[in-house]
Amino acid sequence: MTIKIGLIGHAISQSQSPALHKMLGKIYGFDVQYDLIEPEHNTLECFQETVSRMKEQGYVATNVTFPFKQLATHVVTDADQAVEMVGSTNTMRIGADSFEATNTDFSGFVKGYVSRRGDKPAGKVLMLGAGGVGRAVAFGLTKLNAEKIYVYDLSAAGAESLVEALIASGADAEAILADEIPNVAKQVDGLVNCTPIGHLKSPGNPLDPSLFGGQKWAFDAVYVPLDTEFLQASHAAGLELVSGFDLFFYQGIDAFQFFVQKEIDPSEARAQFVKQFNVNSQLLDLN
């Protein structure tokens, strides 16, 4: 059975999503065509035109990434609890008269965290970045017994919006300014990067290296490269690591399950993916 799946986003040429979904298709008996689709403009109208065209071309599902995750909710006809809670979607099924949506960044982050840290609580967390993936991770933290979430974003309004949503859900959260980061960083248990800084196309470390140390764990949403400067600094400071690959992998598993309505064994899929695509990391046991 052939199924057509897409990924809608910008700067996605290095995405490993096609490889993961095609591999899952082979394991579970689906001939997967997975295409990268980059709309010209970051507008709702452009996104609507893109998914309408995909429906006409026979696509049954699509992943959604930066910068369309929040825009995508405006075309959804059937959103699950994760989408409503987070306010964004990265995973959509395309029906004849419907667009069903979930948010596997949310579920994937939780599963990735648990795979590395088990039932250890997240504690107090400094989170950098309040965009689409940041919102999903922030709500994931509420499921991991986060005591308090401090949110910083270049857009103060974006940080405030996320904090308001977190507080409305019953979480303890606070938006902070850039000059508050050093003091907060030294008080928290976890450091979280949900900005694009560290990606191959925007290298660097979003946090001053002198601020690493004394925390318990760190997560970086960036996974290209795997060993980001943020994770290298975290490792050098003795922190437990949760990687962008963990999020990528588990969100992909959950997305494929949502697309084909079939339960997937993560352990089998992970072993095959790591071996087939030579996924390795100096910091993480991915060999």
Side-chain angles (χ1 to χ4, degrees), residues 3-4 6 9 44 52 55 63 70 82 114 121 123 125-126 139 141 156 158-159 171 177 179 208 232 236 246 260 282:
I3 55 173
K4 293 177 70 174
L44 177 57
S52 294
K55 182 165 67 172
N63 286 126
Q70 288 170 278
V114 171
V125 181
L126 167 61
F139 281 97
L141 287 168
L177 301 175
D179 61 4
D208 189 292
Q232 289 180 45
D246 297 320
V260 303
Q282 295 177 338

Side-chain angles (χ1 to χ4, degrees), residues 7 67 84 89 124 142 216 221 224 228 240 265 271:
L7 170 62
E84 292 179 354
T89 178
K124 296 179 180 179
T142 69
K216 297 177 181 178
V224 182
T228 62
E240 295 181 15
D265 179 358

Side-chain angles (χ1 to χ4, degrees), residues 56-185:
E56 292 171 0
Q57 294 172 347
Y59 286 87
V60 299
T62 188
N63 286 126
V64 182
T65 190
F66 177 84
F68 297 103
K69 291 180 181 181
Q70 288 170 278
L71 277 178
T73 60
H74 296 287
V75 307
V76 171
T77 58
D78 186 6
D80 71 1
Q81 185 179 13
V83 173
E84 292 179 354
M85 177 173 57
V86 175
S88 67
T89 178
N90 69 324
T91 305
M92 297 170 58
R93 273 202 307 262
I94 302 173
D97 300 302
S98 65
F99 291 104
E100 299 175 72
T102 186
N103 192 308
T104 65
D105 281 339
F106 166 76
S107 60
F109 169 70
V110 172
K111 291 177 181 179
Y113 178 99
V114 171
S115 76
R116 295 290 180 184
R117 304 200 73 229
D119 61 0
K120 295 177 183 176
K124 296 179 180 179
V125 181
L126 167 61
M127 195 178 82
L128 308 175
V133 70
R135 293 184 70 90
V137 169
F139 281 97
L141 287 168
T142 69
K143 302 299 181 184
L144 296 167
N145 298 313
E147 183 180 340
K148 184 168 184 175
I149 305 169
Y150 297 91
V151 181
Y152 170 75
D153 194 274
L154 287 174
S155 166
E160 289 286 358
S161 173
L162 174 54
V163 164
E164 288 174 7
L166 288 168
I167 292 174
S169 75
D172 188 0
E174 179 182 340
I176 64 171
L177 301 175
D179 61 4
E180 297 176 275
I181 289 176
N183 184 49
V184 172

